[in-house]
Each structure stands twice: as structure tokens, then as C-alpha cells.
Amino acid sequence: GDQVPFWLQMNQLGVFNDSDQFQQLFLLNWYGVPQKPSDDKLQFYYGANVLGRISEHSVFRFNEYWARLTYKKWYFHVGAKAEPVFADGLSLTNGNLFLSNNARPNPRIGVGTDNFKFTQNGWFSRFSFDAEYNEYLLQDKRVDDGVHLHHKRLDVHYTIAPKWVFSAGIDHWVFWGGTVPSRGNHPSFKMPGLKDYFRYILGRTGSSSAPETDQLNVEGNQLGQYLFSLQYNGMKSKLKMYYGHLWEDRSGIQFENAPDGLWGIYWKRLQPKPFLKSMVVEYVNTRDQSGMYHKYTPDPVNRPNYQIGEGRDNYFNHGLYKSGFVSYNRMMGLPLFIPQINDQGFSDGFLNTRLWGIHEGMNGWLTKQIDWKTKVTYSKHYGLYGQEYPTPKQFFSASGQIGYRKAESPFAMAMKLAWDHGAILDSGFGAELILTYQIQ
């Protein structure tokens, strides 16, 4: 076909070109960790991922390059780093609608904590916290130039019983600063920079130097999600049920788009190398978007000041930041959102933001040396409010993988097959051969 199948190119950190029919990739991963990890000592971690691709669109680049200092559950981070892989890589979203390893990571400077507790004794020791605060340096070519991306997240974990943990969190993103392109009769506009930084990160209304739309609402492109999960950690298996509710503005924050979000369940067997090792099922919906009306005047003659609607949220798009929630022309989160690429070769945002999809992934072992993995995704796409498709577009994608790894051998290999059918990507078939050699 004319495009690489969905499950050969998505959630791969953007290493594949989406249209080259034959590609050879050489990936060198290099990571450094302390010989004796300890929470009580200042320790240094680092890593790099070098990509060489031989194809019609050949490249050679660093995909990851990062360093991290840790001390007592806290860390300071610099550089571009992939997110930790969730659910053995079986998830459609990596368990997160906003950050799925679908795109090449951008460099960032940040601080955070993992499983931090204020006290180790008493009732309050049931609580632990994960938090991060990041400023991304967007290096990709975009319609909007010189833009910054702010991110912060807080998760609170509560141990209900020795094997059960409930988590609740909030995840906040803001595109800020930079120069936004002209729109219709409006010329290009340089957004306020650092002097309005606290307005951006606190979700405040825009200053007098911000565009009129930001003075009436909030400054920058603000979006985020609520995160909830319930996890069981047993002796023989573990189970995690999770839910993410996304929002673009006040209507979403107030759950007026309640049908929209990500629902998932992940189960894993802890015994060594069973036939069925783990399984993920996920459902995602983005069709509601707080309704089809946004500031609509139903009776302009008799009631010109009466307006209804907080809808048309148009997820991951924005009126000023036109390239949308992308990194190097790929959606940073849910890979079913596929950006429109303009004549200059970079993202112009999403022409299809209303969809629902269901996904299933499984893996396990056929023998002690041979493992397997499958993914199946079905979705239905509706376009945008006001720009609906004449009939919804359906999409189906499936992949299967067989791998071989001998115990204690540094060499491994795998064969992956994938097939698409539908109207979102061109229908087609693809295959991938993976050879790995590991040195410790």
C-alpha cells in the first residue's frame, strides 16, 4: 500500500516514515544506571537512542538524549526521554491519552518525584505521591513558531488494603509564547512570553498584551485530563482499571463532556513465561466535546444577547496554535488522532477529532524461548462538528508478533506482521524483522 500499517508505525517514538515502502532502521540504545541503586544517595542516570534509517526519506539523529539526578524519591531531569512503557507495550495509548510514545520526544527540563511519602508510619503513610513539573523545548517545525509547552501532573495514591491502591490525579498542559500565524484578516501575532508565565501555568485570563480571545478566556492553549485508577497487586497476578477524562476548557473541567475519555483494564500473570502473560482492553470516546454549540445565538433578532453552549471543544486543536498537540508531525497521545500535513511538510492540526475506538492487546509465551504478541484496534470516525463526514469512517488494524530469545543470550529476534483496512489510513499489509543484540 501507500502507507505503513498502523501497528508498524504507531507508538514507536516516530522512528518510522509513514509512507516509505521499504525501510532499514538501525537503533543504538545506550543507558547508564548506578551499580547499586539507592534512595539515600545522590545518583546519576543517563541514556541515548540513536536512529539511522535508510529509505526514501533517510535520516540519522538522536531520538533520545537525557540525564537524571535522583535523591530520596526526587529527581531532576534534562533532555528528551521516552515515557516508561505501560502494560508491556500492549496499550493503544500507553495508558495516557496525552502522552503515549507515539511521537519523537521533545527535550525538557523538569523536576519530579516517584512514590514519595511524607511519613512511613501511621495512617497518613497510606498516601504516596507522584508529581512532575516540566518545560518542553519544542524543536520541531510548526505553523506556530517559537512555542513553549508547559506540563505538570500530580497523582495521589491511597492504599485501601495491603493489595489494593486507589489513585487520583490531574494532568495539565499549556502551549504558550511564540508567534502564531495570520488567520483570515488577522495578521500574525507574537504571544506574550515569560512576563505572562504565571498567567499561563495558573490558567489565568490573558494580560492586555494577549489576544482578545485570551483576555476573555484563559491565556495560551490550556488542556488536560483527570486520571483515576484502581490497582490490585496479588501474589500471582496484578490488575489495573483506569479512567482518563480529558478537557479543553471549563466545560470539560466541569464534566459537561462526561461521555468522553479513556477506559481501560490491564491484567498480568506473575508466574514465569505462561502462555497468556498479560492482556489489555481499552475503550476511547471523543465524540461529545460538550455538545455541538459554542456561544450560539439561537434568536439573534429578538434576543441578540442570549447565547447557549460551551461545546465544540475540538480536542487537541486550537484557534491560535494551529499545529495542534503534535511532536514532529505525530500526535503525542492517542495515535488515532492523525494530523493533516500542509504543503510545507508540517502539521496543520486535526481534521478528525470525533471518534470512538476499542482496542485489545495480549502477549505470552509459546515455549521458554518463543514469545508472542497481538494487537487489534477498531475505530469509527466522524470528523468535526460542522464538518462531519457524510458517513462515519471505519478503521480496523491488527498485528501479530513472534519473538525468539534464548535464556542468557544477548541475541534476540522477532517477526511482526500488520494489516489495515478502512478509510483513515490506506488499507495494506506490512512486515517487520527485528534483530537485537544487548551488551551489559
Side-chain angles (χ1 to χ4, degrees):
D2 293 330
Q3 288 181 302
V4 175
F6 186 87
W7 278 123
L8 288 189
Q9 61 165 296
M10 301 302 182
N11 290 351
Q12 301 287 328
L13 298 176
V15 301
F16 290 95
N17 183 276
D18 62 359
S19 60
D20 287 354
Q21 292 189 344
F22 183 76
Q23 306 179 48
Q24 295 181 73
L25 281 81
F26 301 88
L27 293 164
L28 174 63
N29 298 294
W30 180 39
Y31 299 109
V33 299
Q35 290 185 347
K36 295 180 179 180
S38 171
D39 289 338
D40 297 324
K41 297 180 180 179
L42 184 67
Q43 296 195 310
F44 181 60
Y45 297 75
Y46 60 88
N49 175 295
V50 182
L51 163 68
R53 185 177 68 227
I54 300 174
S55 69
E56 185 177 345
H57 300 87
S58 296
V59 297
F60 179 82
R61 66 173 183 245
F62 280 85
N63 239 36
E64 295 182 73
Y65 45 93
W66 59 273
R68 180 171 289 193
L69 283 173
T70 66
Y71 181 68
K72 290 186 179 294
K73 301 294 186 180
W74 291 85
Y75 66 81
F76 173 72
H77 176 96
V78 177
K81 183 181 184 298
E83 294 301 300
V85 175
F86 168 71
D88 303 320
L90 298 174
S91 168
L92 170 66
T93 63
N94 204 40
N96 191 314
L97 284 169
F98 284 67
L99 208 55
S100 69
N101 285 333
N102 186 50
R104 177 181 168 187
N106 270 295
R108 60 186 169 94
I109 300 173
V111 295
T113 182
D114 292 316
N115 200 32
F116 174 79
K117 291 186 177 183
F118 286 103
T119 177
Q120 301 296 321
N121 301 301
W123 176 81
F124 199 63
S125 66
R126 289 173 176 260
F127 289 91
S128 64
F129 305 86
D130 291 339
E132 57 182 324
Y133 187 101
N134 301 301
E135 288 295 334
Y136 283 82
L137 309 175
L138 300 184
Q139 303 294 299
D140 53 343
K141 294 181 179 179
R142 311 173 68 88
V143 176
D144 27 78
D145 185 49
V147 179
H148 303 275
L149 179 60
H150 166 78
H151 172 230
K152 55 182 172 290
R153 174 184 59 86
L154 172 65
D155 288 318
V156 180
H157 312 291
Y158 176 69
T159 302
I160 304 170
K163 296 181 180 180
W164 289 91
V165 178
F166 173 76
S167 300
I170 188 168
D171 194 33
H172 183 216
W173 299 80
V174 187
F175 286 91
W176 63 277
T179 302
V180 299
S182 58
R183 299 180 299 127
N185 296 324
H186 299 277
S188 61
F189 186 89
K190 186 171 179 61
M191 296 286 288
L194 277 174
K195 67 185 183 67
D196 280 11
Y197 181 71
F198 289 102
R199 289 183 179 270
Y200 289 118
I201 68 172
L202 297 176
R204 301 286 302 279
T205 56
S207 66
S208 59
S209 57
E212 182 180 358
T213 55
D214 285 14
Q215 294 181 43
L216 296 173
N217 297 287
V218 293
E219 195 160 6
N221 179 15
Q222 309 256 348
L223 65 165
Q225 60 182 330
Y226 299 125
L227 301 166
F228 303 94
S229 69
L230 180 63
Q231 183 163 327
Y232 168 77
N233 299 301
M235 297 293 292
K236 296 183 178 180
S237 66
K238 67 177 183 179
L239 177 73
K240 183 173 184 177
M241 296 171 284
Y242 49 98
Y243 166 59
H245 172 78
L246 73 168
W247 43 265
E248 284 268 357
D249 55 23
R250 182 178 299 177
S251 64
I253 292 173
Q254 297 174 168
F255 283 89
E256 292 181 31
N257 61 340
D260 292 343
L262 167 70
W263 291 259
I265 183 167
Y266 165 53
W267 169 84
K268 182 172 185 175
R269 183 175 291 162
L270 299 180
Q271 71 184 78
K273 298 187 176 182
F275 174 74
L276 179 60
K277 180 70 174 179
S278 54
M279 180 172 63
V280 166
V281 177
E282 292 179 325
Y283 170 76
V284 62
N285 180 54
T286 64
R287 288 174 293 170
D288 185 87
Q289 304 198 10
S290 303
M292 65 181 298
Y293 296 112
H294 182 75
K295 304 302 182 185
Y296 172 64
T297 306
D299 189 358
V301 176
N302 299 314
R303 305 178 70 185
N305 296 323
Y306 174 66
Q307 292 182 321
I308 62 172
E310 293 285 343
R312 295 200 179 208
D313 291 337
N314 201 7
Y315 300 138
F316 304 112
N317 280 327
H318 191 255
L320 296 177
Y321 294 101
K322 289 290 190 178
S323 281
F325 201 76
V326 300
S327 170
Y328 297 95
N329 288 342
R330 286 187 182 270
M331 168 60 170
M332 288 189 279
L334 176 63
L336 290 171
F337 275 66
I338 299 173
Q340 174 78 10
I341 307 302
N342 63 20
D343 294 337
Q344 287 74 44
F346 40 88
S347 169
D348 232 349
F350 304 101
L351 297 181
N352 169 34
T353 66
R354 298 182 62 235
L355 61 87
W356 68 267
I358 189 165
H359 168 81
E360 173 271 335
M362 294 188 295
N363 72 352
W365 294 83
L366 295 175
T367 70
K368 292 182 178 180
Q369 289 83 36
I370 299 175
D371 61 78
W372 62 273
K373 178 187 292 186
T374 64
K375 296 179 184 178
V376 178
T377 306
Y378 173 80
S379 57
K380 209 166 184 177
H381 303 252
Y382 298 81
L384 307 173
Y385 275 124
Q387 301 178 43
E388 291 86 356
Y389 296 141
T391 57
K393 295 183 178 182
Q394 300 182 66
F395 181 67
F396 176 83
S397 183
S399 70
Q401 178 176 314
I402 293 289
Y404 172 81
R405 181 188 297 273
K406 190 175 180 180
E408 300 181 359
S409 171
F411 175 76
M413 64 182 299
M415 170 63 80
K416 187 175 182 180
L417 305 177
W419 177 71
D420 290 350
H421 181 72
I424 299 304
L425 295 180
D426 291 339
S427 298
F429 171 82
E432 178 183 356
L433 175 65
I434 307 162
L435 305 175
T436 305
Y437 192 87
Q438 182 172 312
I439 301 173
Q440 293 185 342

